[in-house]
Structure formats: structure tokens, C-alpha cells
Amino acid sequence: MTIKDTPEEWQVAATATPFRGNKTSVRTDDVVMPDGTIARRDYQVHPGSVAVLALDDAGRVVVLRQYRHPVRHRLWEIPAGLLDVPGENPLHAAQRELYEEAHVKAEDWRVLVDVFTTPGGCDEAVRIFLARDLSEAEGERFEVSEEEADMELARVPLDELVRGALAGDLHNNCLAVGAMSATAVLAGDGFDSLRPAEAPWPARPFEA
């Protein structure tokens, strides 16, 4: 048996959007179940995101520490951001986020892993890239604001991030999934086995 997620869409008898925010909204769908009954499902509609596991030649990952109000925590994370423009190339968005949040550029980009963050309550899809051959970006640093104005930056060994996630000390999903995925690839077929940076992404189609 092939273990693979497959697209499927059940009939929606009615839909409404009771809340629209700046970047996301909440949708209510009346979904027809297999037995013909109707179940109401409320979920967040999200534009999608990208994240970057930037790994330097010393095996350290570029991480940042940022306050996240919904969970009332200051979390260690990898650079990430929204796909602000519909149809935006996710690689370009990832390169932008790495520059804006860490003032770093990378020469080698691969798709590390694609995930749905919370599929029971949100349609957010995230593409996590692996970025290598790092260097300082040219020009002035991007001017940040709000929570990002208080960010801390660091470079942490990959294995330390994995240990921290397994110990319950690190909680950001992109950091944990990215670090564990990179570790698995290193123990397996190596980074050259990863998909190219422009690999198709059915969850968020884009123009190359």
C-alpha cells in the first residue's frame, strides 16, 4: 500500500465568512458527510507561508526569538513569513524572509518539506526550504517593526535544536519539523536527494 495524502473535496451545502481580518479570515462551511448528514466546520482561511532552515558550513541553523501573543510565549523560530501575494513564487518569498529577518542570503536552495500546520482548524500550508552556502546580505538591514523589532538572532547547532524540541523546550512547528527533517535527510540519502527549490506545490500553486 502506498502511504500518500490525496486531494479530496466533500460537498459544501452552505458557506459563510463571519470574520475577515487583515491577513486571514474565518469561514463556516456546512459539509455533507458520507452518510448524508450535515456537519458545520469553522476554520481559519490562511494565505499560506514559507519558512527557511538556513544551515551554515558549521552545521548551525539561523534562528530568531520572537514574542507570539496568541500562545503568550517568546519562541525560538526559523525565518518565516506569509505568502502575501496570491500566486507568489514561494522561493522568492523565502529568500525575502531570510533577508528581512536575518540579513542573510543563500546560494543553494532546496525544498525540505511541505506541511499543513493545523488541518483540523486551519487551511494553512507551509513550505519549508533548506538554504545553504550562506553569507551576509548586501546593503542596509531591513527595518522591522512591532514584534519583529524585539527579535534576537542566533546560530544554533542542528542537533541542539532537535534535542530541544524532543525535550519540550522548543515549540515552534516549523523549527521542529525543519530540524528533524534535515537530520533525517542527513542520516539518509543526503541533501542532494531533496526536491529542487522550484518543485510544484499543489497546496499553493505558483508561477515559476
Side-chain angles (χ1 to χ4, degrees), residues 175-196:
L175 183 148
V177 171
M180 292 181 189
S181 297
T183 301
V185 175
L186 275 173
D189 296 330
F191 291 141
D192 287 342
S193 67
L194 291 171
R195 289 172 290 164

Side-chain angles (χ1 to χ4, degrees), residues 2-198:
T2 301
I3 304 298
K4 182 177 181 179
D5 296 335
T6 55
E8 185 171 336
E9 187 168 353
W10 292 2
Q11 179 184 350
V12 175
T15 186
T17 305
F19 171 79
R20 295 183 187 274
N22 184 32
K23 298 292 185 180
T24 66
S25 60
V26 174
R27 183 174 297 161
T28 298
D29 287 346
D30 290 342
V31 185
V32 181
M33 297 290 110
D35 63 1
T37 60
I38 301 293
R40 179 157 291 178
R41 294 288 179 262
D42 302 316
Y43 59 99
Q44 183 185 16
V45 179
H46 194 284
S49 306
V50 292
V52 185
L53 189 119
L55 187 67
D56 68 16
D57 292 340
R60 301 173 304 170
V61 177
V62 176
V63 293
L64 51 94
R65 191 167 180 246
Q66 183 174 347
Y67 177 66
R68 293 300 190 182
H69 185 70
V71 296
R72 277 33 172 211
H73 270 68
R74 190 184 291 268
L75 301 178
W76 284 104
E77 307 179 351
I78 57 177
L82 297 175
L83 291 169
D84 293 312
V85 181
E88 182 178 17
N89 187 310
L91 173 60
H92 299 166
Q95 292 169 332
R96 180 188 67 233
E97 294 300 331
L98 184 61
Y99 160 71
E100 291 182 357
E101 295 191 345
H103 201 65
V104 168
K105 65 178 182 179
E107 299 302 322
D108 187 276
W109 290 83
R110 309 287 176 109
V111 174
L112 184 56
V113 65
D114 297 328
V115 294
F116 293 119
T117 54
T118 49
C122 179
D123 71 352
E124 181 183 15
V126 179
R127 169 157 281 188
I128 304 176
F129 289 90
L130 173 71
R132 294 182 296 162
D133 193 5
L134 309 182
S135 62
E136 189 82 0
E138 295 92 354
E140 297 183 2
R141 285 187 171 271
F142 181 78
E143 186 174 343
V144 295
S145 61
E146 299 177 344
E147 293 95 340
E148 292 183 352
D150 194 42
M151 287 193 310
E152 302 172 47
L153 285 170
R155 295 195 182 197
V156 179
L158 177 62
D159 57 357
E160 186 175 330
L161 296 179
V162 173
R163 287 196 299 270
L166 294 175
D169 296 329
L170 299 172
H171 304 88
N172 177 264
N173 59 351
C174 289
L175 183 148
V177 171
M180 292 181 189
S181 297
T183 301
V185 175
L186 275 173
D189 296 330
F191 291 141
D192 287 342
S193 67
L194 291 171
R195 289 172 290 164
E198 298 277 8

